[in-house]
Amino acid sequence: QVQLVESGGGSVQAGGSLRLSCAASGRTFTSFAVGWFRRAPGQEREFVGAATRSSGLTYYADSALGRFTVSRDIDTNTWYLQMSNLNPRDTAVYYCATAAQSMSDSMGEYDRWGRGIQVTVSS
């Protein structure tokens, strides 16, 4: 069974950058794509961005486009979310998740989830 562990979160001032990592371990990692989601206080979990495992094709939410980049290291089964020009609205718990068959912005397409990691952006 694949396990996902996020790291790299923390606190940063507005305008700053953070890079989150998602390490996959366990059974051979063959998922089609990995996505990043977030849940801000009092809000529902929302899609941030995703990338396919084989080609690295990416897809982003409008809120992330131009500021966030999803990438992966196939050799280490590690996925990254590089975030730049952060603002307080980006404050949330960030989750990575695997999708077996498609790259999607729908949570229903993702079958395994990490526990999440806190990102706090102060003004």
Side-chain angles (χ1 to χ4, degrees), residues 12 18 24 27 30 38 41-42 44-45 47 52-55 59 66-67 74 79 81 83 88 99 107 109 113:
V12 64
L18 277 177
R27 293 180 59 186
T30 58
R38 68 186 183 185
E44 295 184 354
R45 196 175 299 190
F47 173 74
T52 59
R53 180 180 181 277
S54 59
S55 65
Y59 173 46
R67 299 188 301 129
I74 296 298
W79 298 73
L81 178 65
M83 304 184 291
M107 286 193 296
E109 294 294 324
W113 293 79

Side-chain angles (χ1 to χ4, degrees), residues 2-13:
V2 174
Q3 293 181 326
L4 304 175
V5 178
E6 301 94 342
S7 62
S11 298
V12 64
Q13 289 190 328

Side-chain angles (χ1 to χ4, degrees), residues 26-38:
R27 293 180 59 186
T28 302
F29 185 72
T30 58
S31 293
F32 182 84
V34 168
W36 288 93
F37 291 77
R38 68 186 183 185

